[in-house]
Amino acid sequence: RAVRRRGYWPVALAASILLAFMATQQFLQHRQRERAFAAHKQGVVTALARDIPPRARLRHLVETFAGLAAEDETFRKLVLRELLDGDDARLAVLAAQIFSEPHGLIVQLARETASDLDPYLLVNSLFGMVLFGLQAAPLRRHLPGGGRKQQKPSYIADHVATLLERAGDRGRER
């Protein structure tokens, strides 16, 4: 009543509408993130389910993820935005609802292919190298050695898979 008597009613109404709009926007953004990540989660899980030797499965995983991330720039940007934004609540939801299953499977694969390395950091390295390799392509074009082949997702995937295989080989030599 005091708000109405003093003439602040339009301000209070506008504020409540704005708060409702912001809550709706946050909900819609959450659903968009959830859909984008869930679609790619299935592709990664499917790549890991192939009945092939661990090294071949690792290479297939890198190639699959690079292909998925290259085809969907929105997905790539969402992943990077969530990481850069660092909202702990959203990251916890993504970790629990989206990344938990594939992460566990990839950690197991990392243990099989490079047993002397930290499997959790190996998983981060795999995704980080692929995502950054794809996202940095526009800059790489302007740098020495940034030719056409370095822009191709298949070339980036092959490079990352080779690095990971060599890391696994290095561990077996010790």
Side-chain angles (χ1 to χ4, degrees):
R1 287 185 187 191
V3 169
R4 270 191 259 156
R5 274 185 278 158
R6 292 192 178 136
Y8 296 118
W9 180 249
V11 173
L13 182 61
S16 65
I17 290 171
L18 183 59
L19 288 174
F21 174 75
M22 288 172 57
T24 302
Q25 282 296 100
Q26 287 176 342
F27 174 77
L28 292 174
Q29 288 172 350
H30 170 73
R31 296 297 297 179
Q32 179 188 19
R33 279 190 306 273
E34 199 174 71
R35 275 194 303 274
F37 291 131
H40 294 295
K41 169 188 170 182
Q42 191 54 48
V44 169
V45 169
T46 301
L48 289 164
R50 291 192 64 189
D51 188 22
I52 54 179
R55 268 179 82 132
R57 209 167 354 122
L58 179 66
R59 179 167 284 277
H60 180 65
L61 168 66
V62 173
E63 291 168 351
T64 299
F65 181 70
L68 291 169
E71 291 170 5
D72 189 349
E73 185 177 0
T74 302
F75 166 73
R76 236 180 22 249
K77 287 181 177 182
L78 276 172
V79 171
L80 294 171
R81 190 193 82 171
E82 290 302 323
L83 292 172
L84 290 172
D85 190 39
D87 182 290
D88 197 53
R90 285 198 321 254
L91 290 171
V93 168
L94 285 174
Q97 293 179 1
I98 304 297
F99 295 124
S100 180
E101 179 187 5
H103 186 265
L105 295 170
I106 300 166
V107 165
Q108 181 56 40
L109 179 59
R111 286 185 174 127
E112 294 173 35
T113 56
S115 59
D116 68 318
L117 296 175
D118 183 317
Y120 301 100
L121 287 178
L122 190 69
V123 171
N124 288 343
S125 298
L126 182 160
F127 288 109
M129 287 188 289
V130 170
L131 286 172
F132 187 78
L134 293 169
Q135 205 59 36
L139 172 63
R140 199 170 36 252
R141 281 194 307 260
H142 303 288
L143 296 170
R148 284 183 168 216
K149 74 178 181 180
Q150 286 84 1
Q151 310 300 14
K152 293 180 181 178
S154 59
Y155 187 82
I156 293 168
D158 181 61
H159 178 75
V160 171
T162 300
L163 288 173
L164 294 172
E165 288 168 353
R166 288 183 184 170
D169 290 344
R170 190 176 137 249
R172 283 188 279 283
E173 292 171 3
R174 289 183 180 181

